[in-house]
Amino acid sequence: MTNKKFISVLAIPLLFTTIYTATPASAETTPTPSTTTNSEELAKDQKAVNKALKIVLEKTNQQIKSGKENIKVSQYVPEINQNVSMEFVTKDISTNTQTNTLQKNTISYAVAKPSGRKAYYGKMNAWGFTHVLRGDFVYGGGKVISATKEVQNTGLTYTHSSTSSIAKLDPSVWQIQSKSVHKWLGKVGSVTGLGYTSYVSVEVYGSGTSAVRNASFTTGA
């Protein structure tokens, strides 16, 4: 999907991105099965990472509430000697048309003179991989009219697969959810199934605002 304008906490906070200034996860020392064989140690590290991501998420949404549209937040995790971060960006998209048509990966219907259109971008930098949820939404009359979504992943030592969906919680609140599976390359991943599953979700509102609702991951692919 072609990106028009962006806020880069995922988002959404997510951009939501939920947004964070940090060393990119892909540039960090990626954990390997040989260094994470102790399940108790791995569980402890993951708990520390998710705790840091919750802090990042809270800070991202605080900045969103204050009116910022280009957010980047990072948090150092001493247990893994790395930063985790979230970027979230939103931007107005100008439109000269009065009608929006159905697009790929889009829930949409025709509307006359929408009040506005915004792009969102949420990126989570986690543990050797990134998870991006991006798209745009149209709003008007206090309602969400349409929304698009796209998921992107990076991390050189993994294979990646993703799914996404849009849930209409009510006419003014739509939640865009995404899930990515990051499995170790080669025999390690195919035989053991080792890897991670990450989640990023963003909510968009009929007021033209948005927020990152989830940025987390679990072990196992």
Side-chain angles (χ1 to χ4, degrees), residues 53 112 114 145 188 219:
L53 284 171
I145 307 303
V188 172
T219 55

Side-chain angles (χ1 to χ4, degrees), residues 53-64:
L53 284 171
K54 286 183 179 179
I55 294 173
V56 165
L57 190 62
E58 290 175 0
K59 290 181 177 180
T60 298
N61 281 322
Q62 286 173 359
Q63 293 191 40
I64 289 176

Side-chain angles (χ1 to χ4, degrees), residues 15-214:
L15 183 267
F16 293 174
T17 295
T18 310
I19 305 164
Y20 323 77
T21 303
T23 304
S26 59
E28 302 285 1
T29 301
T30 303
T32 64
S34 62
T35 63
T36 57
T37 53
N38 186 309
S39 59
E40 291 184 1
E41 181 180 348
L42 179 60
K44 180 180 178 181
D45 290 347
Q46 182 187 324
K47 184 177 180 180
V49 172
N50 276 333
K51 181 178 180 180
L53 284 171
K54 286 183 179 179
I55 294 173
V56 165
L57 190 62
E58 290 175 0
K59 290 181 177 180
T60 298
N61 281 322
Q62 286 173 359
Q63 293 191 40
I64 289 176
K65 288 181 180 179
S66 70
K68 292 185 178 181
E69 293 190 329
N70 193 331
I71 304 163
K72 191 171 185 179
V73 180
S74 66
Q75 182 75 21
Y76 178 68
V77 186
E79 286 82 355
I80 63 172
N81 193 30
Q82 294 182 29
N83 286 334
V84 295
S85 68
M86 185 76 200
E87 298 176 28
F88 190 73
V89 176
T90 58
K91 287 186 179 181
D92 289 315
I93 299 176
S94 61
T95 176
N96 296 320
T97 62
Q98 295 185 355
T99 302
N100 293 279
T101 57
L102 187 65
Q103 303 176 45
K104 184 179 180 181
N105 290 331
T106 303
I107 296 176
S108 176
Y109 53 88
V111 293
K113 299 181 179 178
S115 296
R117 185 180 182 190
K118 279 196 169 181
Y120 66 87
Y121 175 93
K123 177 181 180 180
M124 177 178 70
N125 293 316
W127 203 355
F129 59 84
T130 67
H131 180 155
V132 172
L133 176 61
R134 65 194 298 172
D136 60 55
F137 66 100
V138 176
Y139 60 95
K143 299 179 181 181
V144 179
I145 307 303
S146 68
T148 69
K149 55 187 172 59
E150 180 181 5
V151 181
Q152 299 174 336
N153 302 117
T154 63
L156 295 178
T157 57
Y158 303 95
T159 60
H160 308 278
S161 61
S162 63
T163 58
S164 60
S165 62
I166 299 177
K168 299 180 182 180
L169 304 185
D170 67 48
S172 64
V173 182
W174 289 18
Q175 187 172 92
I176 304 163
Q177 304 167 337
S178 63
K179 170 186 172 181
S180 292
V181 175
H182 317 271
K183 183 178 290 187
W184 289 105
L185 289 171
K187 291 184 178 180
V188 172
S190 61
V191 174
T192 68
L194 290 178
Y196 304 95
T197 301
S198 59
Y199 306 86
V200 175
S201 64
V202 173
E203 281 185 355
V204 297
Y205 307 109
S207 60
T209 57
S210 56
V212 178
R213 284 293 163 232
N214 184 31

